Amino acid sequence: MDNRRIGVFDSGLGGLTVMKELMALLPNESLVYFGDTGRIPYGTKSEETVLKYTRSDINFLQTFHLKAIIAACGTASSIALPKLSGQYDIPLLGVTKAASRRAAAVTRNGRVGVIGTTGTIRSGAYRSFLEEENPEIQTVSVACPMFVPLVEYGYAEKEAAKMIAKDYLQEIIESGADTLILGCTHYPLLKKVIGEVLGDSVTLINPGECVAGDVKKLLEENDLLSKEKQTEQYQFYVSDDPAEFIRLGSMFLERPIDGLVSRIDIEKYN
């Protein structure tokens, strides 16, 4: 048994959908979340910048006594983690590989759709991971940059979201994919709209659920599960004003986080 914390980082709010899954699946674990709200978004940045930001995020989280770190950001998972593999003594898990493994396992016709930020789709990471699982899988990838602001401005279940989703997802529909990876951590909040557009025949893969399962397996196999809940079980840090993070973060988590969020200078950890 191991009562050390688990670290989670994201470019902003979206990683809270991963945090939510971890809270549900591993209720005794203590979690530290860092949202890089001062440098968001990662999805439009160069590979060099994403790598720099990811390193500093990990450096900050390593100031805590952690047993694992999760890249809850699809862009960081896709672009930075493959390059950082083996550079740290602590296990690093990302949403991209976990979701790819699940999609490869559940697809019935070998056609998998991927939607994500511009950076995630440009990286081709999902395609690569899917081909590692099964070289015969056909992947169709579509960048959906408008989905993030739709979620953050409260339009996730409004008609505007459905209209934009119909446009973005047309290529997925035409491809005949029977499985779709929600390749950005904001997108689970659009699951209802996406499901309505694609229909019941398409299985939606939530990367947060997938990586939470991987974390649980890692902890169980290495006897690292926490024995009991710790004081200050959940801690949240941001790199900009916490006010907006508190407001929207409570919506992402479906629980209040007021009073639990601190601001830090992430530039100190470059």
Side-chain angles (χ1 to χ4, degrees), residues 8 62 67 120 128:
V8 182
Q62 284 195 303
K67 54 188 173 185
T120 294
S128 296

Side-chain angles (χ1 to χ4, degrees), residues 131-269:
E131 289 177 353
E132 282 181 18
E133 295 294 326
N134 181 353
E136 301 301 317
I137 283 181
Q138 299 174 36
T139 307
V140 56
S141 304
V142 178
C144 303
M146 286 295 294
F147 277 174
V148 168
L150 282 172
V151 169
E152 295 195 353
Y153 286 99
Y155 282 81
E157 296 189 8
K158 296 191 177 182
E159 189 60 28
K162 192 166 186 178
M163 291 173 61
I164 291 171
K166 283 181 178 178
D167 184 51
Y168 278 153
L169 299 173
Q170 187 58 41
E171 188 175 349
I172 304 293
I173 294 170
E174 291 174 357
S175 74
D178 69 353
T179 305
L180 178 70
I181 297 174
L182 306 177
C184 170
T185 46
H186 279 69
Y187 295 0
L189 295 176
L190 288 160
K191 192 172 182 178
K192 180 180 177 181
V193 168
I194 292 169
E196 288 175 355
V197 172
L198 295 180
D200 295 337
S201 62
V202 178
T203 301
L204 303 184
I205 304 295
N206 177 350
E209 292 179 358
C210 301
V211 77
D214 282 1
V215 173
K216 183 178 182 181
K217 182 179 179 183
L218 172 73
L219 299 184
E220 288 175 339
E221 290 180 346
N222 294 278
D223 195 25
L224 295 174
L225 287 167
S226 292
K227 291 181 180 179
E228 56 190 6
K229 294 181 181 180
Q230 305 296 302
T231 56
E232 295 187 339
Q233 186 177 10
Y234 305 126
Q235 297 178 6
F236 302 86
Y237 295 87
V238 294
S239 54
D240 203 356
D241 185 358
E244 189 71 357
F245 181 88
I246 291 170
R247 184 182 72 82
L248 288 171
S250 298
M251 175 185 73
F252 275 65
L253 282 181
E254 297 183 337
R255 62 189 291 166
I257 58 174
D258 193 15
L260 300 173
V261 184
S262 302
R263 181 178 180 176
I264 60 106
D265 180 7
I266 192 60
E267 297 297 335
K268 289 169 52 179
Y269 301 92

Side-chain angles (χ1 to χ4, degrees), residues 52-127:
K52 173 186 174 183
Y53 288 180
T54 300
R55 282 198 179 104
S56 61
D57 298 345
I58 294 171
N59 289 344
F60 166 65
L61 287 175
Q62 284 195 303
T63 63
F64 297 86
H65 194 43
L66 302 179
K67 54 188 173 185
I69 293 177
I70 301 164
C73 173
T75 303
S77 293
S78 300
I79 294 174
L81 283 202
K83 294 180 173 62
L84 295 176
S85 178
Q87 294 187 22
Y88 296 89
D89 293 333
I90 188 170
L92 297 178
L93 295 88
V95 290
T96 309
K97 197 162 191 174
S100 298
R101 189 182 307 112
R102 178 76 61 83
V106 304
T107 181
R108 302 174 302 280
N109 65 9
R111 292 193 286 273
V112 176
V114 180
I115 55 176
T117 65
T118 301
T120 294
I121 299 304
R122 184 175 58 227
S123 76
Y126 273 110
R127 184 186 301 275

